[in-house]
Amino acid sequence: MQKLNAAESIRGLACMAVVFSHLSLSFFPDLHAFDVVGPLQPSWMAWIHQSPFGFWFSGTAAVYVFFVLSGYVLSFAIYKHANQLQTKVKNMLYKRYPRLAIPALFSCLLTWLLFQSFQVDPQNVGAWLAHYLTQSVSLKDAIYQGAIGSFLFAQSSVNWVLWTMQVELFGSLLLFLLILIRQYQQWLFFLTAVLLLSISYWIWSEGVFLGLSCFVLGMLIYAYARELPLFVAILMGLSGLYLAGTHDNSGSYQWLVALLGTKTYDYANALAGVLLVYSILMSPQISSYLDQKGLVKLGEWSFSIYLLHLPLLYLVCVPVLNQLIHWQVDAQLAVWAAIFIFLCALLCCAAIYSRYVDRFAIQVSQGFAQKIQSFHQNK
């Protein structure tokens, strides 16, 4: 239970890193400096960007943390019923799509409703968020992407975070297949994993390959990893945090760029996700430290936070910022006040969304799986 609670805590913290990443892109773009050519102007943002301390707003590393955790937690859920492994795999297979799709679809419908209800002035935000605020959202796209497009083709123009649903779905399917193969032949399990991951690299993209690899590594951590001494776990965790802050144009990572070139950002962040999950879950001391009620609750809300934070930037954060600036509040103070109000609203809305939409998705997926299994039993 301690490990599972720690996994929830990691998920909650990683989710907040995604939120902070998008806030930085929206209001403090020099923290990422993705589009900057040449040296940054001196500022606190430039200092953080050049430092090895950018992990707290690394949305990319956080996403890879999600994938590793999914591989680990799904493996745990299946292997704890080892005497009924095939039945459990089938049950999880039937549940996985509706469990993910219902909350995703609701988030797209909410986004469509907001965009149809009123327009938000983007003049006080960065280019990344301004593009999101001024896009056109149709009901057809909201339904299609929430239910199908994001899962099959990573289409996410309505709710930009939904590109990860493709990896979550196909990663789960890959995991279920590998678990079934592993119970028969270990060598065939490893051969199939390497073969299918290689195919994913060629038919999809490097990003999908890395995401699916993190799923498999999460499973391997569950199946083969052993408890780490505290010193080793701390060293591994610090290495993960360092890699999570990777930016190709940051002075702290030029030695890595010299080795990996244009692949540095993606591969360093993916490795960061693996190291962070491994170091925490395989250390009883660190797992115990993260087994805190508030962090576990944040983890329970994490999927809702992930799905809702962009719509709430539209609904809460930017309108509050615009109003504060209209009242002639200092621009920097207005930004920080709007962010604070947005974060409070996000946590409140996520709690509600988790309680009603997320739980509804769990109930529907469980009922769907039970009906299919009953059908096969009575056939």
Side-chain angles (χ1 to χ4, degrees), residues 1-11 69 280-281 286-288 290-292 296:
M1 181 58 70
Q2 178 178 290
K3 282 188 179 181
L4 287 183
N5 286 344
E8 284 286 10
S9 297
I10 300 169
R11 197 187 302 275
L69 283 174
I280 294 171
L281 295 185
I286 301 178
S287 292
S288 176
L290 288 179
D291 185 7
Q292 306 292 332
V296 173

Side-chain angles (χ1 to χ4, degrees), residues 149-168:
S150 60
F151 291 93
L152 296 183
F153 310 110
Q155 295 175 340
S156 55
S157 63
V158 176
N159 189 349
W160 288 1
V161 301
L162 289 185
W163 66 270
T164 59
M165 293 300 101
Q166 182 188 52
V167 177
E168 285 287 347

Side-chain angles (χ1 to χ4, degrees), residues 17-41 45-46 48-50 54-64 126-129 160 163 243-250 253-254 257 261-269:
V18 173
V19 175
F20 294 150
S21 177
H22 291 159
L23 286 172
S24 67
L25 287 169
S26 303
F27 303 111
F28 312 107
D30 281 357
L31 285 173
H32 280 296
F34 287 131
D35 300 320
V36 174
V37 179
L40 291 170
Q41 294 297 317
M45 289 180 283
I48 293 177
H49 175 78
Q50 297 293 347
F55 56 85
W56 57 273
F57 58 91
S58 178
T60 304
V63 164
Y64 287 120
W128 182 86
L129 184 57
W160 288 1
W163 66 270
L243 291 173
T246 300
H247 289 88
D248 289 353
N249 53 353
S250 170
Y253 299 92
Q254 289 311 297
V257 174
T262 58
K263 298 180 183 294
T264 301
Y265 181 78
D266 290 329
Y267 279 82
N269 278 280

Side-chain angles (χ1 to χ4, degrees), residues 17 33 90 93 113 137 157 160 172 193 242 267 274 292 310 319 346:
K90 289 180 182 179
L93 174 65
L113 181 62
V137 177
S157 63
W160 288 1
S172 301
Y242 169 75
Y267 279 82
V274 176
Q292 306 292 332
L310 288 181
L346 177 60

Side-chain angles (χ1 to χ4, degrees), residues 19 23 27 107 110-111 114-115 118 120 129 132-133 159 304-321 338-339 341-353:
V19 175
L23 286 172
F27 303 111
S107 76
L110 175 62
T111 300
L114 291 175
F115 275 69
F118 63 94
V120 173
L129 184 57
Y132 173 77
L133 298 176
N159 189 349
S304 298
I305 292 172
Y306 184 74
L307 294 174
L308 292 181
H309 74 275
L310 288 181
L312 284 176
L313 280 174
Y314 188 97
L315 176 65
V316 177
C317 192
V318 179
V320 169
L321 173 63
I339 289 174
I341 294 171
F342 157 75
L343 290 174
C344 292
L346 177 60
L347 293 177
C348 291
C349 291
I352 296 170
Y353 201 84

Side-chain angles (χ1 to χ4, degrees), residues 187-205:
W187 68 267
L188 185 58
F189 157 74
F190 286 106
L191 178 63
T192 304
V194 172
L195 178 62
L196 292 180
L197 289 174
S198 300
I199 291 173
S200 74
Y201 182 89
W202 293 110
I203 68 171
W204 274 317
S205 66

Side-chain angles (χ1 to χ4, degrees), residues 184-243:
Y184 298 111
Q185 293 287 346
Q186 292 276 349
W187 68 267
L188 185 58
F189 157 74
F190 286 106
L191 178 63
T192 304
V194 172
L195 178 62
L196 292 180
L197 289 174
S198 300
I199 291 173
S200 74
Y201 182 89
W202 293 110
I203 68 171
W204 274 317
S205 66
E206 203 164 52
V208 174
F209 161 74
L210 290 172
L212 295 179
S213 297
C214 285
F215 253 87
V216 175
L217 288 170
M219 175 193 175
L220 294 177
I221 290 173
Y222 175 81
Y224 298 105
R226 295 296 178 261
E227 183 177 309
L228 295 172
L230 180 59
F231 174 76
V232 175
I234 291 174
L235 186 61
M236 185 181 291
L238 290 175
S239 299
L241 290 177
Y242 169 75
L243 291 173

